[in-house]
Amino acid sequence: MSRSGYQLLGFAVWHGGKWYLKRRYGWLVPSRRVAAAGIVGAAIAAIIVADARRDASSSMP
């Protein structure tokens, strides 16, 4: 099978899998707005934790 054939097969499998998961488990997935808010919240929390660790380690003698 040629390279383009494998690319086409991969494309079909990927999109078919996404379609199947959306149909089967779509009700479990939050909306894009909720997902984006969660990602932004997690990033802010990670920045706060990293800053707190940096401050704690710099104050040690």
Side-chain angles (χ1 to χ4, degrees), residues 20-31:
Y20 173 77
L21 289 174
K22 279 184 190 179
R23 298 263 306 163
R24 178 125 174 133
Y25 301 109
W27 57 273
L28 287 174
V29 179
S31 69

Side-chain angles (χ1 to χ4, degrees), residues 2 6 9 11 13 15 17-19 21 23 26-27 29 31-34 36 38 41-42 44 48 55 61:
S2 67
Y6 279 114
L9 178 63
F11 182 84
V13 169
H15 286 284
K18 279 178 38 178
W19 173 82
L21 289 174
R23 298 263 306 163
W27 57 273
V29 179
S31 69
R32 288 185 183 205
R33 180 177 288 175
V34 172
I44 291 171
I48 291 171
D55 290 343

Side-chain angles (χ1 to χ4, degrees), residues 1-11:
M1 187 183 273
S2 67
R3 182 173 187 240
S4 61
Y6 279 114
Q7 284 180 330
L8 184 60
L9 178 63
F11 182 84

Side-chain angles (χ1 to χ4, degrees), residues 41-57:
I44 291 171
I47 291 169
I48 291 171
V49 168
D51 190 44
R53 286 186 177 191
R54 186 174 46 114
D55 290 343
S57 66

